[in-house]
Amino acid sequence: MNTRGNAVIVGAYEHPGRELPDKSLAQVHAEVALGAVADAGLTLDDVDGFFVGHDAPGYGGGWISMAEYLGLRNLTYMDSTESGGASPIYHVSHAAAAIAAGKCEIALVALAGKPRTGIQPGGGGPLTPEESFEGRMFGVTGLVASYALSARRHMHEFGTTSAQLAEIKVAASIHASHNPNAFLRKALTVEDVVNSPLIADPLRRGDCCVVTDGGGAVVVTSPEIARTLDRRAVKVLGQGEAGKIVNGGKLDLTYTPAVWSGPRAFEQAGVTQADIDYVSIYDSFTITVLEILEDLGFCEKGKGGEFVQDGTLVAPHGRLPFNTDGGGLANNHPGHRGGITKIIEAVRQLRGEANAGVQIPDCEIALVHGNGGDLGTRMRSATMILGREDA
């Protein structure tokens, strides 16, 4: 379904906490939900659509237990689509479709996690079909090892360097230095990153995201309802979804499903890469950002290393400012899932509410991209393009 113009984001809230040992996971979910509906000028009684992933604790993919915990008594539509870090972006797109189809009017999309001070739901299940081969037989233990394989392959194929990857972390750290809630607030240099401890060759600690508690939520509704609210709305212009599988081992490690989700989002939105003022790119590792920028068409495949040099990603005046809150690399990566924070920061930019020092002048169109899965094996991608209300 083409949802262009059928839905807008009217509320957005990011939990300010990054270490929350005294709160339950359900509490964090509740606090971000309350924050988002309050930002929209609404209450939980107004919500009739509820969208969460498997980060939400409890029955029904989490939505049943959390709906009860929140007291959501008026639900007519629920969605617990699970796509890892891409889930919230899927959820906003699915909420837009549900609103366009008349299945709900005011949708709440929420995510929360406590991997830093608690236990994250969803682990400990039965072996997947591939796990006994990839993990137990060939020793791919942990995501960083797989992402390192992708980084090494990209370096081999295209000459990408560790210093070029470091430029991505440097930009994120500069942005985080303007964010009072960021987990890491020190602005780094390329030398700081390339001299940080090696984690999985060629990725170093500086190439890796932070591990934080926290979460966020957004409220999606129709333009008609938005006009009754005293809050600036952000338009959902286009979206695309895609997945990539291992294909029996015939796998190119240098691309992501963004090669398919991106063009779908651009086509639906009716814009091109040249129209984008700001990008929120999932940044589990620096190599993730570099490959996604290539796959979304901001530069040629293999040219990402050159593209990110010379302050391209640094706000407010770089050619393509990214993750101006500090992103997962320096600010917040709640529940090992960065999708919700990517949406929230794009909303801030389009509303003109980003942190001082990183607000992009006259920001009209933003791109949000989320990943779920593993860059070196199978993964899902969701791309969404948002527009300023008066643009």
Side-chain angles (χ1 to χ4, degrees):
M1 175 185 291
N2 189 327
T3 57
R4 179 184 169 91
N6 293 324
V8 295
I9 297 173
V10 291
Y13 179 81
E14 179 184 7
H15 202 289
R18 303 293 181 262
E19 293 183 274
L20 303 168
D22 299 325
K23 294 182 184 292
S24 71
L25 182 55
Q27 280 180 288
V28 182
H29 262 279
E31 289 176 4
V32 299
L34 289 167
V37 295
D39 183 63
L42 299 165
T43 71
L44 290 176
D45 288 337
D46 297 308
V47 173
D48 59 357
F50 188 38
F51 297 73
V52 292
H54 289 183
D55 57 281
Y59 292 104
W63 79 260
I64 295 176
S65 294
M66 284 310 305
E68 182 175 17
Y69 188 86
L70 292 169
L72 298 177
R73 303 176 182 86
N74 304 314
L75 296 181
T76 60
Y77 194 86
M78 296 71 65
D79 188 331
S80 58
T81 298
E82 174 52 39
S83 296
S87 295
I89 301 166
Y90 276 72
H91 292 158
V92 170
S93 299
H94 295 182
I99 290 166
K103 295 183 179 295
C104 63
E105 293 185 334
I106 297 174
L108 172 65
V109 176
L111 178 149
K114 278 174 55 70
R116 190 162 190 86
T117 64
I119 299 174
Q120 190 70 9
L127 287 177
T128 60
E130 69 276 359
E131 187 173 347
S132 59
F133 292 94
E134 295 175 4
R136 297 191 176 187
M137 185 178 298
F138 295 107
V140 181
T141 54
L143 285 177
V144 65
S146 179
Y147 280 72
L149 288 175
S150 294
R152 179 58 70 196
R153 189 66 193 179
H154 202 281
M155 290 174 169
H156 173 77
E157 291 284 347
F158 306 115
T160 306
T161 68
S162 292
Q164 290 172 332
L165 290 178
E167 294 275 7
I168 298 167
K169 180 60 170 266
V170 168
S173 72
I174 291 171
H175 299 156
S177 71
H178 295 273
N179 183 353
N181 295 321
F183 187 76
L184 302 176
R185 295 195 61 198
K186 178 183 177 182
L188 301 176
T189 65
V190 169
E191 290 73 23
D192 291 331
V193 179
V194 298
N195 290 326
S196 62
L198 191 66
I199 303 299
D201 191 21
L203 297 181
R204 297 182 174 273
R205 185 172 64 193
D207 293 295
C208 304
C209 65
V210 298
V211 176
T212 58
D213 299 339
V218 296
V219 177
V220 186
T221 190
S222 65
E224 293 75 22
I225 291 177
R227 284 192 283 271
T228 69
L229 304 174
D230 188 21
R231 197 68 174 101
R232 191 175 191 179
V234 169
K235 298 181 291 187
V236 179
L237 300 179
Q239 61 88 26
E241 303 169 6
K244 175 185 175 184
I245 61 175
V246 174
N247 194 29
K250 300 174 183 177
L251 178 67
D252 184 344
L253 296 174
T254 65
Y255 76 96
T256 76
V259 297
W260 301 300
S261 64
R264 293 166 185 166
F266 279 112
E267 180 180 7
Q268 189 176 111
V271 301
T272 69
Q273 289 82 355
D275 298 310
I276 304 299
D277 299 308
Y278 165 77
V279 292
S280 279
I281 302 292
Y282 197 94
D283 54 345
S284 48
F285 300 91
T286 53
I287 184 62
T288 314
V289 177
L290 188 133
E291 288 197 9
I292 289 170
L293 288 171
E294 293 176 343
D295 294 341
L296 290 174
F298 289 106
C299 62
E300 295 180 27
K301 174 55 66 177
K303 300 294 185 180
E306 298 174 21
F307 180 77
V308 300
Q309 292 180 306
D310 302 320
T312 291
L313 304 179
V314 178
H317 301 301
R319 284 185 293 156
L320 188 69
F322 102 120
N323 295 9
T324 45
D325 59 342
L329 287 169
N331 169 37
N332 193 11
H333 194 225
H336 310 305
R337 294 158 174 255
I340 194 70
T341 54
K342 300 299 174 281
I343 301 168
I344 292 167
E345 184 64 7
V347 170
R348 291 186 188 120
Q349 281 288 350
L350 292 166
R351 285 176 165 178
E353 297 172 356
N355 290 311
V358 297
Q359 175 64 54
I360 298 160
D362 198 30
C363 186
E364 295 186 1
I365 301 177
L367 180 146
V368 180
H369 183 86
N371 285 347
D374 184 349
L375 193 69
T377 56
R378 58 203 58 76
M379 67 186 310
R380 293 87 69 199
S381 287
T383 308
M384 183 167 59
I385 297 174
L386 303 175
R388 197 173 68 193
E389 185 178 31
D390 57 353

